[in-house]
Amino acid sequence: MWYYQHIPGESHDMDEVFENILVDAGGRQSLFKMGKIGVLWELDRRTGRFLSASDLGYQTLLDIDRRTGKVTYRQGMIPQMDVELQWCPSTAGFKSWRAMAYHPQTQAFYIPLSLHCERGTFRPVEFVEGRGGTGPVRRINQFHPQSPGQLGEFVAMGRDGRILWRQRVRTPYNTAALTTAGGLAFVGDWDRNVYAYDVQTGARLWQARTPTSVQGFPITYAVNGRQFVAVPSGSGGGSWTSLLPVELTPDVKRPGGGNAILVFALPERSSSPAASAQVPPAAPPQAHSSTQLAVHRVTPDQMVRWEKELSNWGRWGPTDQRGTLNLITSEKTKAALRLVTEGLSVSLHRYPDLERAVDAGNMNAETKHWMTNVDPQTGRVRSALDAISFATHDGTNTHMDALCHYAVQSLLPGKALIYNGYPQNLDERGCKDLAVDRMGSAYVTRGILIDMPLLKGVEWLEARTPIYVADLEAWETFAGVRIGSGDAVLLRTGRWARRAKTGPWNAAREIPGLHASVLPWLKQRDVALLGAEGVADVQPSGVDGWPRPIHDIAIPIMGMPLVDNGYFEDLAREAARLKRWAFTVSWTVMRIPGGTASPFTALATF
């Protein structure tokens, strides 16, 4: 009927011979497949015509014209005799016989990967009839630069090429993927773990340890209405035995024996598997246990009292719409400018992810960048003109909340009042009062970085870790600073460091942050602006009925703007190098009429 050659003239052993998945969607009858280079190809299965190619973005060998499918090797990527060459992936491939799975409800593929690169020198091939091969090649395997120290990635990729989420582990994901109608994705790794993930969010719902490496093809079946999942475990076959884990992760050992088939029973009327027994379904994340200790515990009654005790209503007049930004006086700005000694600036902004993930693209708006002057007939871009769209409150976009963003919690749902007693009047054009265009145009003040991972001697704080007043004051002692009136306080917990290494997770549900008990301290210190790498609140908060107590008091009661999803990695590096955690911070407000937030494109200057 037809054939299709994905990579003509291929010279790196980048096979495209793995499973074909047939999908009927969007008016197309398509065939999808992915080979070693990590490109999801879509063909018309009736004619073999090229439809699309979506690159995971890890390979370094070639470029693909997304309109025609034409492949062009990148400069220097065609092997030359006796010339050392570095390329990604290695000969083992990102994707191999470990089959991906498709889930019709999410319209996404669930793909087990191993991320790595290779450095090698090619030598002549002896031509002997009936023989072939690559000839003598000196090869050195390496971790992929985008995934240092971690080989395994399990990625959910929409049929349109969008990334829904990623999960990374130390060793390769070593089995085919299996998805179920109940919304689970099963996969196993070389380090003897079998996992169940939520197909929508990527949350890890369950895992179990097996006698040795999990491999092969998991299956699911039912007996008398009860569903089971079976996975093979063994040390033979294609378990990367002599390749990547042995060479790159020698610290991870696996038994040589233990071949077995393990069967797990799914609980009745539940979506979480259990090993040979019923377990309760996955529960919502629980607050850190320390939040319930008497010394820290904050009750709903206490929160209601703080609505009165910590209020700044009327402090700067009955019509004020700037709140604690009033603390950034001309004297404060001049003092802040005197902190500049190095002439070095770093950005605190992170642009939202263009690819959808569990923590991105979650605000009913498309994150998109496109060229605006394109010939409709040929598709040729006629001039360098473009446009963007994104949600200001996107979970990966650095933004400053307007003071209309949160209403007084204890009055809801009957009465919606915001800072300074304004009613929260909302319509399709935004906020009538306390919108970002009412909060001033630009500010310069002293910034203080609180680098909690540095203080604790870790790469990042674990999710759900609360930060208390004692932690903040310990940081002041460490850094030799005292937070005071008009300061912009920026809290680093290591979210972006963790995300770069392990992939996205639902940071809106689980993230380290400030505990509610720090609220009086923030008021006492007269902080002008508070920024964090997600929301400032530890999640879960540990306060019954108040899921985001920092937001609930800071914005509508204190009138303190909050910065969500701040990017402080570059700032932390320079501050540590200079041993200076006080600096000049400056930003402009994008005065969106009626806007509930503004992108926070701030600079920190030393």
Side-chain angles (χ1 to χ4, degrees), residues 128-431:
V128 177
E129 187 175 353
R131 292 171 55 188
T134 57
V137 182
R138 180 177 60 85
R139 302 178 186 274
I140 300 173
N141 290 310
Q142 301 170 324
F143 285 105
H144 196 288
Q146 294 186 43
S147 185
Q150 293 182 299
L151 289 171
E153 177 172 288
F154 191 43
V155 61
M157 186 181 204
R159 61 183 181 83
D160 59 357
R162 292 178 304 130
I163 302 300
L164 276 64
W165 49 262
R166 292 182 170 96
Q167 286 283 359
R168 286 184 180 164
V169 293
R170 180 107 169 105
T171 63
Y173 282 104
N174 203 49
T175 72
L178 169 70
T179 59
T180 72
L184 299 178
F186 290 90
V187 72
D189 70 9
W190 193 88
D191 191 27
R192 303 189 290 148
N193 297 296
V194 58
Y195 306 98
Y197 295 105
D198 185 306
V199 294
Q200 295 276 1
T201 67
R204 185 182 297 171
L205 302 177
W206 168 86
Q207 74 181 81
R209 194 81 157 160
T210 61
T212 188
S213 294
V214 196
Q215 61 170 308
F217 288 72
I219 64 168
T220 185
Y221 61 94
V223 177
N224 296 327
R226 186 72 182 278
Q227 189 175 0
F228 299 86
V229 172
V231 296
S233 170
S235 57
S239 291
W240 309 98
T241 305
S242 60
L243 289 173
L244 302 164
V246 171
E247 183 177 338
L248 297 180
T249 57
D251 53 304
V252 179
K253 308 297 182 184
R254 59 154 193 178
N259 292 0
I261 292 178
L262 295 96
V263 177
F264 303 94
L266 273 69
E268 296 175 291
R269 298 180 300 280
S270 172
S271 61
S272 299
S276 304
Q278 289 195 30
V279 297
Q286 298 298 305
H288 195 278
S289 59
S290 68
T291 64
Q292 303 309 304
L293 298 176
V295 67
H296 297 311
R297 188 164 183 266
V298 173
T299 65
D301 288 343
Q302 178 65 73
M303 291 295 298
V304 173
R305 288 195 296 273
W306 280 343
E307 285 183 334
K308 295 189 177 353
E309 294 169 5
L310 304 183
S311 174
N312 280 325
W313 289 19
R315 180 176 175 182
W316 295 286
T319 60
D320 173 54
Q321 299 201 34
R322 296 192 182 193
T324 55
L325 295 177
N326 286 290
L327 296 167
I328 304 175
T329 63
S330 58
E331 292 304 314
K332 182 71 178 180
T333 294
K334 287 188 285 185
L337 290 170
R338 290 194 287 271
L339 295 173
V340 177
T341 58
E342 305 292 325
L344 171 69
S345 295
V346 294
S347 172
L348 308 180
H349 181 256
R350 187 184 190 281
Y351 189 77
D353 281 11
L354 289 172
E355 297 176 339
R356 185 175 177 85
V358 65
D359 60 349
N362 48 10
M363 291 290 166
N364 299 317
E366 184 177 9
T367 304
K368 187 178 177 182
H369 171 241
W370 68 98
M371 303 304 287
T372 57
N373 191 4
V374 179
D375 189 310
Q377 301 300 320
T378 66
R380 184 179 67 86
V381 177
R382 293 185 289 208
S383 59
L385 297 170
D386 58 357
I388 59 173
S389 69
F390 60 88
T392 50
H393 291 278
D394 183 276
T396 57
N397 176 51
T398 307
H399 63 271
M400 181 181 73
D401 291 335
L403 295 182
C404 66
H405 183 46
Y406 265 63
V408 178
Q409 174 78 0
S410 67
L411 300 179
L412 295 173
K415 191 176 184 181
L417 286 184
I418 50 180
Y419 168 70
N420 224 18
Y422 284 96
Q424 192 183 42
N425 290 328
L426 304 173
D427 62 18
E428 68 279 2
R429 295 185 178 181
C431 299

Side-chain angles (χ1 to χ4, degrees), residues 429-431 435-437 590-596:
R429 295 185 178 181
C431 299
V436 288
D437 58 321
M590 185 180 291
R591 290 187 281 184
I592 305 166
T596 66

Side-chain angles (χ1 to χ4, degrees), residues 53-67:
S54 299
D55 193 337
L56 283 168
Y58 297 136
Q59 62 90 14
T60 62
L61 290 169
L62 47 86
D63 294 309
I64 304 168
D65 187 317
R66 296 193 63 177
R67 293 183 298 110

Side-chain angles (χ1 to χ4, degrees), residues 54 95 448 532 568 580:
S54 299
K95 167 82 168 58
I448 301 292
F568 307 143
R580 280 185 53 192

